[in-house]
Each structure stands twice: as structure tokens, then as C-alpha cells.
Amino acid sequence: MSDEIIIIGAGQAAAQAVQSLRAEGFEGPIRLFGDEAYAPYQRPPLSKKFLAGEIGYDRVELKAEDFYASSGVATHWSTRVTEIDRRQKHILTGDGQAFPYGKLLLATGSRVREINVPGFDLEGVHYLRNIDDVTSIQAHFKPGAKMVVVGGGYIGLEVAAVAVKRGIDVTVLETADRVMARVVDPIVSHFYERVHAEEGVKIETGVTVAGFEGKDKVEAVVSGEGGRYACDVVVVGIGILPNTELAAEAGLHVENGIAVDEFCRTSDPDICAAGDCTSHPNGIYGHKLRLESVHNAIEQGKTAAATLAGHEKPYNQVPWFWSDQYDLKLQIAGLSTGYTQAVVRGDPTTGRSFAVFYLKDGVLIAVDAINRAPEFMMAKMLTAKKAVLDPARIADESIGVKELAG
Ligand code: FAD
């Protein structure tokens, strides 16, 4: 019987899990499979400094080149795992090789949601999930080029912010009536719409993309509302889908993500899952979540490693996330879904620094902090405590951030 731990998927969660398995004292063999040609790297810079060309590959790599070998990990890059045979306790790779496992970690992450409209496969229509996507998009970074970004979420807006600074004519098309509608209050959406307009990005909301036109390559985006947007390049950012198929085909329980408990255990006690691919319980909010964030991938990587090493430690934290656009650092703590009151601290209509506190029946559930790190830190702590806050005190800037807790 094998005592090897096999990790499927070589991203943020996997890199953390390797480090944590050794830190937890697991001394047995570890084998890591990733279908990309690269060792695990950070994705956030792909739509920020790496896309802008301000940092190179050496700054996005998660671990130094010799980390895996020196940690005793057998690595298989450019290798897709195609099947998990739970009865025989082995996995199969695309070339038909079988590798036995003692325990398994699924860290398969997520993939982009594709747009299914005529012309979707024209040259010049791109998505952004991996390093190779960045290279393809950067090839269009020529001053005066016209870019249409489909989707006004974080990734679309970050790409727009980088591209406009490179002298590109950028138009963002968003189906909803405001940007980032899925995750923030209209106050925050309208603030970002103002800043992007100030920086030269055109944002059109209420626009449904109906197709892409062009002979050999994309030349225009057409909308269901009758609009036509001439362009040289399109970047589509309309969300992601968790990579759950491998788990589902192996008979594991899947529900909007691979179902795991607070110890990252799937419905098979020998298999854990971590990161974007999971649906996991959160005691602070009292329901299951599927998160798309570095914080979640790191923390679940740690939790899964502890479980696999035999030291169970439950995962129960306030989710947090960030987005960098221009000189704006947006930090989001908690989940604002279901809020009953949004309280603003600072002035979102002028300047570039304020915070929105989200209360549900008086209890703090989330904050969006724009260039307001102290508010973010304080709100993260108070959200974990389910603190009841006085809206008037939050809004009163003469009361210091530290005093909000009192
Ligand atoms: P991933 O990092 O996606 O890694 C999973 C890996 O598994 C992938 O390489 C995948 O190809 C591979 N894989 C899948 N199936 C198989 C298989 N069968 N066999 C072998 N390999 C397989 N989060 C933030 O918190 N802040 C940000 O600012 C932010 N910005 C982002 C910007 C971009 C452009 C993107 C794409 C993501 C961003 N995120 C951000 C999200 C964050 O990067 C993800 O939440 C995080 O990478 C998830 O880590 P993961 O290990 O679960 O999955």
C-alpha cells in the first residue's frame, strides 16, 4: 500500500500544501501534478504588475526553483490527471500512466467561463487565467490600439487600468447596470466608474455582447442593443467555473464546488480538496461558500495539509480579497451578501480614499476599503467577532478607527 500523498493541480493551494505538509512533520513521499508548463505561480499579478510588464516571471513564482526537489517532492509539470480510481487507489495521467496514492489532495482551481457567441474563436479574443494568456494579450499593447473588455468585474477592470496606461483605447462593456455589481454596493461601483472615466477608460453598462466580427481576426464587438465597437483585441472576463469534473467522475460529492468539511475532507476520507475548487462551510456566516481568492487557497492549503498529516485544524476565517487598479488598493473583508445597511466613511464622490461598512441588522458582515488599510484591518477583526456597530460612529471620521471597536 502506498504512503504517497499525491496533489493534483499545481497552483496557490498546492504550493502552500507542500510547504505545510513538511511543516506538519509529514516525511513520506509527495508527488505533484500540474497541467501547466510552470511551477506554481501567483495569479493576481497577471492582471496587474505582470501584465503591465513591471515585474517578470521570477516575481510571480511562488517558491524558488529548487524548493520542490529540496522538499522531496516529485513534480510533473505539463501533465494532466485524467482519472481518479478510488477502488484501486491510483490516479491516471493523460498518457495512461497510473500512480498509486495513500492520500490525495485535489487543488484543481478554476477555469475561465467562456463566452458562447458567434465569432468567439476569432483571433484576438482572449481570456486571462494563466501566464500564456498574458503573453498573448501583451502582444496587442501598441499605443492607439483599440481594446474592448467584456465584463466589468475585478479582472476586466484591472486589465482596463493597465491597458489605458499603455496608451490603448479601452472600452469596457458590462451587462449589469454598474460595474462589480455582484460584489459591492452601488456607492463603490459608481466610484470605480468615475475613476476609470478620469483615467480615460470608457465604460458602458447595460450592454449584452451578441458576437464578435472580423475576417481573419476580431475587428468589432456587436451588442444585442445594436452597438458596434471597433477593436483590435478583446479580453473577456466574465467569471470562472470550478474544476470539479475529476472529482465528480470519481464519485465524490460535488455541489457548486467539491464538497469539503471544515478540515478540507471530501466525501472520501482519503481525499482532501483545497482552493477555488471547493465548497466549504464557514461558521462565521453559517453557510457554505465557494471562494475565488488567494487567502482561501493558502488557508485551505494549510488546513488540508494538517488533515493529511493527521493533525486536524478546522478552517473558519473571514474571507478577504483585494484588487489593484491605478493608485487604488481595494481591500475587501467579509462577504456583503444580504446586507441591510451600507455605511460610508469618507467621501466617495471626490478623492480616492473611503470605506463602506456593510451591516446586517446592526452586525458588521463586511467592508470595502479603498486606500484605507486601517479600516480594512479593523473591520476584518470586528467581522470575525460579529460586532454590533453604531452606524453614526462609523461615519464620523473624528472618531478614530481603533475607537470603532469600543
Ligand atoms: P489555481 O491557482 O487555479 O491552480 C490550479 C492549477 O491546477 C492550475 O494550474 C490548473 O491548470 C491545474 N489543474 C486543474 N486540473 C488539473 C488536472 N486534472 N491535472 C493537472 N493539473 C490540473 N485573488 C485574490 O485574492 N486577489 C487578487 O487580486 C486576485 N487577482 C487575480 C487575477 C487573475 C488574473 C486571476 C486569474 C486570479 C486572481 N485571483 C485573485 C484569484 C486567485 O489567483 C485564485 O483564487 C487562486 O489562484 C486559487 O488557487 P488554487 O490553487 O485554488 O487554483
Side-chain angles (χ1 to χ4, degrees):
M1 207 181 91
S2 172
D3 63 344
E4 185 158 276
I5 292 182
I6 288 185
I7 304 177
I8 306 177
Q12 187 90 47
Q16 182 60 51
V18 167
Q19 182 182 331
S20 298
L21 275 168
R22 292 303 184 217
E24 292 284 347
F26 176 74
E27 290 175 352
I30 303 175
R31 193 175 289 277
L32 173 57
F33 291 90
D35 61 1
E36 294 186 62
Y38 308 91
Y41 57 86
Q42 305 174 58
R43 291 185 201 281
L46 302 190
S47 50
K48 308 177 182 77
K49 288 188 170 175
F50 187 76
L51 179 66
E54 290 170 26
I55 58 169
Y57 176 67
D58 56 319
R59 293 273 302 279
V60 297
E61 247 185 332
L62 275 163
K63 304 284 176 199
E65 215 177 306
D66 61 353
F67 166 78
Y68 301 95
S70 64
S71 304
V73 179
T75 55
H76 301 254
W77 310 143
S78 302
T79 307
R80 189 160 180 79
V81 174
T82 50
E83 193 184 328
I84 302 166
D85 185 331
R86 294 202 288 138
R87 202 172 46 82
Q88 307 227 41
K89 283 192 93 170
H90 67 221
I91 60 109
L92 290 170
T93 54
D95 58 3
Q97 282 197 72
F99 294 85
Y101 66 82
K103 295 203 166 141
L104 202 56
L105 172 59
L106 303 178
T108 48
S110 50
R111 62 181 181 277
V112 293
R113 184 189 292 276
E114 293 183 3
I115 190 163
N116 187 15
V117 295
F120 72 93
D121 54 353
L122 276 171
E123 205 185 306
V125 177
H126 299 284
Y127 295 87
L128 181 43
R129 183 74 198 169
N130 58 46
I131 286 187
D132 297 339
D133 295 333
V134 174
T135 312
S136 308
I137 294 168
Q138 281 172 333
H140 299 275
F141 277 5
K142 296 173 189 133
K146 282 190 188 324
M147 174 186 280
V148 171
V149 175
V150 179
Y154 298 118
I155 289 182
L157 293 178
E158 289 180 355
V159 170
V162 169
V164 77
K165 289 285 182 203
R166 298 293 298 263
I168 293 163
D169 177 321
V170 186
T171 303
V172 177
L173 304 179
E174 166 57 50
T175 307
D177 61 356
R178 59 188 175 91
V179 298
M180 299 193 289
R182 197 167 59 92
V183 280
V184 298
D185 184 84
I187 294 166
V188 180
S189 298
H190 298 322
F191 166 79
Y192 273 90
E193 288 162 4
R194 166 172 73 79
V195 171
H196 277 278
E198 286 169 7
E199 299 284 348
V201 170
K202 298 178 274 292
I203 296 182
E204 294 203 20
T205 56
V207 176
T208 313
V209 169
F212 304 116
E213 290 179 355
K215 269 202 215 107
D216 305 323
K217 54 181 268 312
V218 69
E219 288 165 21
V221 179
V222 288
S223 75
E225 294 72 26
R228 190 172 189 282
Y229 304 85
C231 62
D232 308 296
V233 55
V234 171
V235 179
V236 181
I238 55 170
I240 58 143
L241 298 169
N243 290 323
T244 57
E245 291 74 7
L246 201 58
E249 283 159 17
L252 297 175
H253 184 44
V254 170
E255 40 162 43
N256 179 39
I258 303 168
V260 295
D261 63 13
E262 66 270 46
F263 303 104
C264 287
R265 271 184 315 230
T266 67
S267 49
D268 180 332
D270 288 330
I271 306 181
C272 284
D276 279 14
C277 62
T278 70
S279 162
H280 60 273
N282 182 290
I284 296 162
Y285 294 100
H287 58 84
K288 289 196 114 178
L289 303 175
R290 180 170 63 75
L291 298 171
E292 303 157 15
S293 78
V294 164
H295 166 248
N296 178 59
I298 291 176
E299 293 305 320
Q300 285 202 313
K302 290 181 190 169
T303 302
T307 302
L308 291 167
H311 318 131
E312 294 185 346
K313 298 173 191 170
Y315 169 54
N316 188 31
Q317 296 191 21
V318 175
W320 65 267
F321 190 86
W322 78 94
S323 173
D324 298 336
Q325 298 167 42
Y326 312 110
D327 55 346
L328 308 174
K329 179 163 271 307
L330 167 63
Q331 292 171 295
I332 297 182
L335 299 171
S336 57
T337 320
Y339 68 95
T340 51
Q341 192 176 6
V343 185
V344 184
R345 185 173 168 89
D347 182 2
T349 59
T350 58
R352 295 189 173 191
S353 166
F354 69 101
V356 177
F357 287 66
Y358 296 91
L359 305 180
K360 186 173 184 182
D361 305 324
V363 177
L364 183 67
I365 56 167
V367 72
D368 296 337
I370 290 108
N371 292 338
R372 290 273 178 137
E375 275 85 346
F376 166 73
M377 297 303 291
M378 179 55 72
K380 185 145 70 93
M381 193 262 289
L382 293 175
T383 301
K385 288 185 173 168
K386 301 187 182 181
V388 175
L389 297 188
D390 175 356
R393 282 175 61 81
I394 296 172
D396 183 351
E397 293 227 66
S398 71
I399 298 174
V401 173
K402 285 190 181 145
E403 293 161 57
L404 291 179

